[in-house]
Amino acid sequence: MVKYSQLRARVGAELQMVQLCEPAAATDGQLALAHHPKYIADLVNGRLTAQAQRVLGFPWSLAMVERSRRSAGATIAACRTALSDGASANLAGGTHHAYADRGEGFCCLNDMAIAARLIQAETLQSARPIRHVMIIDLDVHQGNGTAAILKNDSSVFTLSIHGENNYPFRKEISSLDVGLPDGTGDEEYLCALQEALRLGLERFKPDFLIYLAGADVYEGDRLGHLKLTVEGCQQRDRLVIDFARRLGLPIAAAMGGGYCPRIEETVAVHFNTIAALAQYANLNE
């Protein structure tokens, strides 16, 4: 949890072009775009069973619910801001293991699915409606909850590049899945990403991008098992942002995982992502 406060402090100190905002909590109605009403009621009112809490990974509390609502609200806010600024980010978020009817893997609410559907609904009557959203999930763990929630939704394309042998051990089927072996380094990863973006664009024409920029692909991460350097992570970010630039698309990001024993190294990877997005936003002014 410390990485979030450290990242916010570093962004505030070093990126003067970035405006930091406190997000509003996502409402029950917004959560219902991706989650079943019974699950929302059980989560909000503290009715999760002991088994449900074990699968989620931590015990229920009012603070946990509030934090989860605000994390989803931050991804919603990032999507709204990206429409005007070209790029924006949630300094947390990326809770892609949450299913429609349950939390899993320390993820209560699926901010990716919620935000994708909300930005579609909110722009429906605008001059430039967002009809097709591509979620580019580059956390080291597959976005199983996102894939399951959106599996029958042809208006959202889910692209996941992840560790094949990593959690979750039972994968869902995304629109495009690329599973990588343990030990994959910069060159192999970046080639896989370039090819996945090419294939994704062949199959789907997005109006908007949501980018899950997990720092757990970094070689120093204790849970990732991939071998990307800090420079490799930066090149990954640039490939995604260049993809947005070539297509002239807004992009909203969330930070996802990062579990390096030296927290400042995880923070550095996330900080570089925010800096790259800020530069893209400045180019769109």
Side-chain angles (χ1 to χ4, degrees):
M1 296 299 292
V2 175
K3 77 169 184 177
Y4 299 112
S5 58
Q6 288 191 9
L7 177 60
R8 190 185 193 282
R10 187 172 172 191
V11 168
E14 299 182 37
L15 296 177
Q16 280 70 39
M17 75 286 279
V18 172
Q19 180 181 0
L20 290 167
C21 304
E22 182 177 316
T27 66
D28 286 0
Q30 290 168 341
L31 302 184
L33 292 169
H35 294 286
H36 293 173
K38 183 181 184 305
Y39 172 62
I40 296 169
D42 288 348
L43 176 68
V44 169
N45 296 308
R47 296 199 298 260
L48 296 181
T49 65
Q51 172 62 17
Q53 292 177 65
R54 280 194 295 273
V55 173
L56 176 57
F58 40 60
W60 183 91
S61 70
L62 282 172
M64 178 267 285
V65 174
E66 180 68 9
R67 182 189 183 280
S68 299
R69 281 189 186 274
R70 286 185 181 267
S71 187
T75 299
I76 290 169
C79 287
R80 288 169 172 166
T81 303
L83 288 176
S84 58
D85 292 4
S88 187
N90 178 356
L91 297 185
T95 45
H96 59 166
H97 298 311
Y99 282 73
D101 61 349
R102 67 185 186 276
E104 186 175 293
F106 306 106
C107 299
C108 296
L109 300 167
N110 197 302
D111 60 321
M112 306 274 100
I114 293 165
R117 285 180 165 163
L118 186 64
I119 206 68
Q120 289 174 322
E122 289 185 337
T123 63
L124 191 60
Q125 303 300 323
S126 71
R128 292 189 62 186
I130 303 300
R131 294 192 173 94
H132 300 103
V133 177
M134 178 180 285
I135 297 174
I136 302 173
D137 188 337
L138 302 187
D139 192 274
V140 82
H141 305 111
Q142 193 216 30
N144 54 335
T146 309
I149 290 170
L150 298 169
K151 65 181 178 180
N152 295 318
D153 187 344
S154 62
S155 73
V156 183
F157 189 94
T158 53
L159 188 167
S160 179
I161 301 180
H162 50 264
E164 182 62 31
N165 301 314
N166 213 319
Y167 179 91
F169 300 108
R170 187 180 72 82
K171 306 289 192 290
E172 299 288 350
I173 300 174
S174 309
S175 306
L176 177 59
D177 283 300
V178 180
L180 299 173
D182 291 357
T184 297
D186 290 352
E187 184 177 353
E188 301 94 330
Y189 187 98
L190 296 170
C191 286
L193 174 56
Q194 286 180 306
E195 178 62 10
L197 293 174
R198 186 191 68 78
L199 285 173
L201 194 57
E202 269 189 8
R203 302 176 187 178
F204 189 80
K205 302 304 179 204
D207 303 311
F208 192 95
L209 303 179
I210 298 178
Y211 174 31
L212 206 175
D216 43 14
V217 297
Y218 170 58
E219 62 185 350
D221 196 274
R222 64 186 175 87
L223 299 181
H225 310 308
L226 301 187
K227 296 296 180 183
L228 271 70
T229 63
V230 171
E231 294 75 17
C233 293
Q234 287 181 289
Q235 287 180 270
R236 174 198 68 167
D237 293 338
R238 283 196 292 270
L239 281 175
V240 174
I241 293 169
D242 285 347
F243 181 72
R245 181 182 292 115
R246 289 198 313 274
L247 299 174
L249 298 180
I251 179 170
M255 294 302 99
Y259 315 97
C260 187
R262 291 189 292 272
I263 294 174
E264 64 274 11
E265 294 183 24
T266 292
V267 171
V269 174
H270 284 321
F271 176 84
N272 290 338
T273 301
I274 301 301
L277 289 162
Q279 184 179 33
Y280 180 49
N282 284 341
L283 291 173
N284 282 276
E285 286 185 349

